[in-house]
Amino acid sequence: MPYILNTEKDIKEMLTTIGISSLDDLYRHLPNQIKINKKLNLPSGLSEQELRSFIIALAAKNKTINEFNSFLGAGSYKHYVPSALNSIISRAEFLTAYTPYQAECSQGILQAIYEYQSYICLLTGMDVSNASLFDGGSSLAESILMSLRVTQRKKVIISSAIHPEYKRTIYTYLSGFNFKIQEINFDQQGLTDINQLTADGDTACIAIQSPNFFGIIEKLGKISSLAKEKGALVIQVANPVSLAILKEPAAQGVDIVCGDGQALGGFLSFGGPSFGFIATKNEFLRQLPGRIVGKSTDKEGKTAYCLTIQAREQHIKRERATSNICSNQSLNAISAAIYLSLMGKEGLYDCALYSLNLAHYLHGRISEVKGVKINFSNNFFNEFVWNVENQKTVIKKLYKKGIISGLALSKFYPGLKGGILSCCTETKSRAQIDEFIETLKTILN
Amino acid sequence: MDNRVIFDKTTPGRKTNYIKKPDIGIKKPDELLPQETLRNDLILPSLGELDVVRHYTNLSRLNFSVDTNFYPLGSCTMKYNPKINEELAALCGFLNIHPYQPEESIQGALELIYNLEKILREITGMSRFSFQASSGAQGELTGMLMVRKYHKINKSKKRKVIVPDSSHGTNPATSSMCGYETVVVESNKDGLIDLDKLSQAIDNEVAAVMLTNPNTLGLFEENILAISEMVHKAGGFLYYDGANFNPLLGITNPALMGFDVIHLNLHKTFSTPHGCGGPGAGAVGVNDKLLDFLPCPLVNKEDEKFYFNYKVKHSIGKLRAFYGNFSVLVRAYAYLLRLGKEGLPRVAQNATLNANYIKAKLKNYYNTASSKSSMHEVVFSCVKQKERGISALDIAKRLIDYGMHPPTMYFPLIAKEALMVEPTETENKETLDYFIEAMLKINKEIDDNPQNIKDAPHHTPVKRVDEVKAARNPDLRWQCKKIGA
């Protein structure tokens, strides 16, 4: 039997030691009426050889993004991943270890997470970061719950230009409580409509994504001043790669920054696993959810790391914990730290700069195509919205030519029925963009 | 080894080019975006590839892991993570698909999810599964929010959730996240749920009872059918925390035990690696009563085509963006196909056998938390050792010197000086014997040289870490004073 090492002889000896005569005896105290007294209705186990061919064939039924000229982004971004990253992160000493409960035999994990936390603080300008959450959507939901705990208020304001799946996650996470969620529309420019923002004394937070779901950089400074007047916290969902060039959240009055870390060297992987990050100011440290690693010393005074500030967590505080989170996405977080180390200061900057430039090049070219309309602001990072009549037909025709033009926004915003969200990262080339434009021209003419 | 943090190893000007400069005129950010949206400087280190490879490779070598050490961490099911599953999860056809690609281009991924669900339905007896949850705790949240919504729609006034005092901390924490009051029911002297106390606690305001079975003492809740009847009579749901499902594979299932909603930890029972704390995956299964409440989308099949079904009548919505930790699902599916119908009960039996073997060999030296028969894990209560001056913590740390990861300590809370040992089925008898021998040597060392135990571990990169200092003076990140200087 694969992966089970006990031989028949071992089993016999062990049963004798225990003082029973068969493996079935291990279960004799289970009530008979709940026992499955037949074989499971499943196939017999496969040899590794058979399993490999079977799964390879299944994977081959997918057409990967590499087989298309794709401009999909919308929360999942194809960036170049250095080979060294996969090599390091595949090491079994990272892959097959668990949460570093025993600090003395987990120093490598702990230091790597400490470095991850430091990287998140450097990118966001914040004081403290945790060791990761699940993904962007749940990290936003946890950020909002955190703001409710910090302020002890009952109302949250969220921008409708936040990723629609993140928004849906917020509603789910808050569904057990009687908090009020107010959604603020976006304006003609695709920015959160500041004129609609009416925070009051019961507002716990204003949650904004920037660059928002449409790729546009929000006016966070203004939103922060509005929030501060009423004592509400500002939560920003950020794309970590964009922070190589965009103003750091801390410099714009943001109190909690969160988001998805997939862009930092993570594969698309059909949307998961990635990881969620969350960072905040020192004053809110005790309300952070999830694991945190701290630097300390061992009893001989040597630098040593360990899990810390655990009096927030479920295994200590149980029903009074800041969150129920236990397992997180450590491997993906450590992977992001390795990615940032490999890319370095200049590499990450170039990655963001090239993405910005290619997206703006596409924007410039597509805006000249007859039949294409662009209404939203030009202040976008790596993705933007363009409009075309018969959006679905156009998308299909492009797809037939091997081009995935982007995400049809009508999926989430019925009001934006001609809108398509297209993205460029550094993995796109001028030739691919030009091909897209030429094909689009042919289709529209 | 140079154990400075990566930031202190920077050399300005050092870099590796990984990406291509596009052949369009590259403009500076301030030519494309307003100056006020841009940051002034970015502090990140500059390193060469070998600098980075060596740094993290050396860090990895400071860790115990399943591939390098026996890792009997109770409740975590640290079984071997088969290598073939890593290879398959890393196939280009799985890694390089975007969540918003057209359905016709992702039929393989959808088929995999569909097939995995079918197998889990057979193993558990549940009607349908959602794979959105990224961990057991998020699975609990998913399940309990469904319970909450069910009660809301049926206008039943429920405000409490019952958990036993032996429960995982995630259970009461989840109950709070669903807006419920947690009621704790004490265990009886055997370590099982006290039926009398449970029946006193159950009333019409109870939304659900959350249970782990086997419980965290490694004991099977033999009265599970009576419990199920009690909960259901009061109009509540029975929630199954599947963290300990490993010893029951093919032996019994949650549906037969009367559970309505469950989560399985794919990273425990189905061998996907724990990755220093994640990613995992919590597969959430329900019976017919809760079908309409599942998160969306589900994966359905019609005319040989697989598609996302968003039409779930009372869906609780989404727990995260996209569909879940897909590459974890690939590994779990590969594992299940490899084991098959004969293999799964063997997994259960050998996991139980290994735990009971350790128990039989050590029970005369270390008290067990219960006299009841154990399942896949055994909880020792090191009170006899404590009386002689050595705590469960000391024993745990001394085990590190023998090259073994310590068992879970001080959990469940109802056992004094607890060490929770879960060997799993993938360990061989020699390893179990080595563990037993180490435990016996430590027990003897308490009388011969207790200080040596208190000073343990001796052979690790650092000695016992000052956790009090870490919490009192939090140093949670590298500070950027020195960089570039």
Side-chain angles (χ1 to χ4, degrees), chain A residues 1 3 5-6 8 13-14 27 33-34 36 41-46 48 52 54 58 61-65 73 76 91-99 102 104-106 108-109 111 114-115 117-119 121-123 126-127 134-135 163 165 168-169 172-173 176-177 243 245-248 268-273 294-300 302 305 308 314 318-319 324 327-332 341-342 344-346 349 357 379 399 430, chain B residues 4-6 15 23 27 29 34 37-39 42-43 45 55-57 59-60 63-67 71 76 81-82 87 93 95-98 100-101 105-106 108-109 111 122 135 137-138 145 148 167 169-170 174 176-177 225 247 251-252 256 273-279 296 316 318-322 324-327 333 337-338 340-342 346 348 350 352 354 375 397 409 426 429 455 461 463-466 469-471 475-478:
Chain A
M1 203 57 70
Y3 322 134
L5 306 183
N6 289 334
E8 287 308 313
E13 280 177 33
M14 292 161 82
Y27 294 97
Q33 60 269 49
I34 63 165
I36 302 171
N41 184 19
L42 296 175
S44 290
L46 300 178
E48 187 175 300
R52 178 191 268 122
F54 179 77
L58 198 52
K61 290 186 187 176
N62 292 328
K63 273 194 174 173
T64 73
I65 210 77
S76 187
R91 284 189 67 90
E93 299 93 329
F94 284 132
L95 187 70
T96 72
Y98 194 33
T99 306
Q102 296 289 344
E104 297 81 5
C105 56
S106 311
I109 298 169
Q111 184 175 332
Y114 178 86
E115 291 176 0
Q117 291 172 182
S118 307
Y119 270 123
C121 291
L122 290 173
L123 285 171
M126 289 291 174
D127 301 323
F134 301 128
D135 82 310
H163 195 303
E165 300 210 32
R168 191 118 197 240
T169 304
T172 303
Y173 262 72
F177 305 99
L243 295 177
I245 52 177
L246 297 184
K247 188 158 266 180
E248 61 275 34
L268 297 173
S269 195
F270 205 32
K295 187 172 167 181
S296 181
T297 48
D298 73 358
K299 60 180 189 181
E300 292 173 354
K302 204 169 154 189
Y305 301 86
T308 193
Q314 47 78 28
R318 297 178 72 84
E319 67 272 16
N324 71 341
S327 287
N328 52 22
Q329 303 276 130
S330 276
L331 196 70
N332 303 85
S341 304
L342 288 166
K345 179 178 173 150
E346 287 180 49
Y349 180 83
N357 269 274
N379 293 335
Y399 181 71
R430 177 184 190 144
Chain B
R4 289 176 300 164
V5 289
I6 193 92
K15 65 177 275 193
D23 45 0
K27 293 178 181 158
T37 65
L38 305 174
R39 75 189 293 158
L42 171 68
I43 295 168
H55 178 81
Y56 287 104
T57 302
L59 283 186
S60 80
N63 308 323
F64 280 14
S65 67
V66 172
D67 277 12
Y71 212 122
C76 301
N81 314 125
E87 181 187 323
L95 275 191
N96 296 302
I97 48 174
H98 190 284
Y100 291 145
Q101 276 182 228
S105 67
I106 47 167
E111 184 176 346
E122 171 64 18
S135 72
Q138 207 185 24
L145 286 174
R148 170 127 201 149
S167 73
T170 51
T174 300
S176 296
M177 282 180 87
L225 291 176
I251 309 287
T252 178
L256 288 168
H274 283 68
C276 306
C296 57
I316 57 162
K318 294 189 73 78
L319 274 298
R320 54 163 295 155
F322 314 127
N325 282 345
F326 176 70
S327 73
Y333 181 53
L337 291 180
R338 185 88 168 92
K341 63 179 168 194
E342 295 89 2
R346 296 294 280 184
N350 281 277
T352 307
N354 284 357
M375 300 297 286
K397 298 298 182 193
M409 315 179 298
T426 59
K429 184 166 167 293
D455 291 341
K463 299 285 162 56
R464 285 195 205 184
V465 180
D466 190 344
K469 180 181 170 187
D475 175 350
L476 311 176
R477 56 168 296 194
W478 173 83

Side-chain angles (χ1 to χ4, degrees), chain A residues 141 144-145 148 156 167-181, chain B residues 140-153 158 174-180 293 314-319:
Chain A
I144 288 176
L145 287 172
L148 289 159
V156 302
K167 269 193 300 181
R168 191 118 197 240
T169 304
I170 297 172
Y171 283 100
T172 303
Y173 262 72
L174 266 59
S175 64
F177 305 99
N178 292 318
F179 300 127
K180 193 179 164 204
I181 304 173
Chain B
E140 291 174 30
L141 184 62
T142 309
M144 291 304 293
L145 286 174
M146 281 190 266
V147 165
R148 170 127 201 149
K149 192 152 187 191
Y150 177 96
H151 288 313
K152 195 178 168 190
I153 282 182
K158 306 283 188 183
T174 300
S175 149
S176 296
M177 282 180 87
C178 296
Y180 286 123
F293 297 84
H314 300 301
S315 175
I316 57 162
K318 294 189 73 78
L319 274 298

Side-chain angles (χ1 to χ4, degrees), chain B residues 379-382 392 408-413 415-420:
Chain B
V379 178
F380 293 106
S381 175
C382 307
T408 297
M409 315 179 298
Y410 300 100
F411 186 80
L413 308 170
K416 282 182 191 143
E417 294 295 317
L419 283 183
M420 182 200 255

